[in-house]
Amino acid sequence: VSFSPNASCPGSNHAQQNIQDIAAGKAPSVCSPTCNCQPGGTSGTVTVSPQILDGLKALQAQFPGQFAVTSLTTGAHSAGSKHYQGLAVDIAPTAADGGTWRAMRDVLLGRGGRAFCERGNGSESATCDDEDTGPGRDPDHIHWEL
């Protein structure tokens, strides 16, 4: 699975560092909507759910090399986001077609929780297709939360 080294919060607060910290037995950085990031979050105990990691492994088995994880517990998300509880992941499929995006979304849905294609402006896209309705209106990632 590919984990992005890019992030909306400064420093090494990104998916790639999250997974490296977890692999090293450390608590991953957990951010807040204002990018206040701390190992394990404010409690010091938050990590990524094993169910999220298992879902990524299953997705990789069906779609090898066709997506990158762009956010686990870091990034600027809405207050109360499940990302900050270790219960959400954002992935960016490399395929341009909505059919592949829908198939990936459906694999995640089959593992429980809620999965949807999300537009750059934060709203859901039911079709997962480019909708050509202006900037920020095309889906740019799939969000999955437990």
Side-chain angles (χ1 to χ4, degrees):
V1 176
S2 172
F3 294 88
S4 175
N6 300 318
S8 54
C9 292
S12 60
N13 297 301
H14 48 69
Q16 186 178 69
Q17 188 63 52
N18 275 166
I19 207 69
Q20 289 172 341
D21 287 343
I22 292 167
K26 300 177 187 174
S29 287
V30 178
C31 297
S32 70
T34 59
C35 289
N36 177 17
C37 306
Q38 303 172 46
T42 56
S43 69
T45 62
V46 174
T47 192
V48 177
S49 165
Q51 189 175 348
I52 292 285
L53 298 174
D54 287 344
L56 292 172
K57 185 176 174 183
L59 193 64
Q60 176 68 11
Q62 291 189 25
F63 298 93
Q66 295 184 48
F67 67 93
V69 174
T70 58
S71 182
L72 288 164
T73 59
T74 59
H77 303 282
S78 62
S81 170
K82 291 197 174 192
H83 283 282
Y84 306 139
Q85 300 166 37
L87 298 173
V89 61
D90 290 339
I91 67 163
T94 56
D97 67 287
T100 301
W101 283 56
R102 286 188 296 277
M104 288 180 169
R105 177 199 62 198
D106 292 347
V107 166
L108 297 172
L109 281 170
R111 301 190 68 83
R114 184 171 166 246
F116 57 90
C117 296
E118 192 169 352
R119 297 181 183 110
N121 66 4
S123 63
E124 292 183 34
S125 167
T127 66
C128 298
D129 286 315
D130 288 347
E131 292 158 6
D132 298 324
T133 55
R137 298 291 298 170
D138 292 337
D140 62 1
H141 69 278
I142 297 171
H143 174 87
W144 178 43
E145 64 184 33
L146 301 176

